Every structure is written in C-alpha cells, then in structure tokens.
Amino acid sequence: MGDCQSLGDCDDERIVRIYEYLDGALSCDDLGEIKAHLDGCADCSHEYDLECVIRSVVKRSCKEAAPETLKAAILARLHEGRPASV
C-alpha cells in the first residue's frame, strides 16, 4: 500500500475497516468515512477490489456440491480411522 502508507493513513486497522465495510458491519458515519477513503486511495481501493473478487469466488465455490464418489471415499477413510464400537 505504498501511496497510502506514505501519507500515514493506512495500516492493518484500515484494512480491517475495509473488511467490516464489505460485511456491512459499520455505522453510517463509518461507512461514509471508508467510502471516501476508498475513493481517494488507489492502494486501499485495490485491496477492496481484490477482496470482492475473493469473496465472489468463495461464494461461488460453496455452491458447488462434491461428487458422491468423493463423499463416499471421505466417509470410508473416516470410518477406517475410528475404533470399532463396543
């Protein structure tokens, strides 16, 4: 985050605030502050865009079902590792 950090504005806490912004976990005042910051900071805007892409890929991946053969293989391995019931 070269440009932003040189101004002393951005740090790990700012990135956490961007995540909270994406999660909808900020007050109206905080939303405005983060939005204004993103509009003026190319580095943080890039972090925001990257996180949006990551979240989109994860969301899409979570909708895909595992093949039944994979599920069966995993369950078989889990049962092999368990002691027999008494």
Side-chain angles (χ1 to χ4, degrees):
M1 286 189 262
D3 296 342
C4 198
Q5 275 190 340
S6 67
L7 299 173
D9 272 348
C10 296
D11 53 15
D12 289 340
E13 184 176 329
R14 177 75 70 176
I15 298 301
V16 168
R17 302 290 286 169
I18 291 171
Y19 295 151
E20 292 171 342
Y21 175 79
L22 284 163
D23 292 338
L26 298 176
S27 69
C28 289
D29 291 338
D30 290 339
L31 282 171
E33 174 194 333
I34 295 298
K35 174 74 172 118
H37 181 78
L38 290 171
D39 289 343
C41 177
D43 290 336
C44 286
S45 182
H46 175 75
E47 287 291 323
Y48 170 83
D49 291 342
L50 179 61
E51 184 64 19
C52 285
V53 169
I54 291 169
R55 288 175 183 227
S56 175
V57 169
V58 168
K59 187 175 185 177
R60 188 175 61 236
S61 297
C62 290
K63 291 181 180 178
E64 296 175 9
E68 290 301 320
T69 54
L70 176 60
K71 291 179 186 179
I74 291 171
L75 287 172
R77 284 191 150 181
L78 288 172
H79 291 292
E80 289 171 4
R82 291 186 180 166
S85 299
V86 185

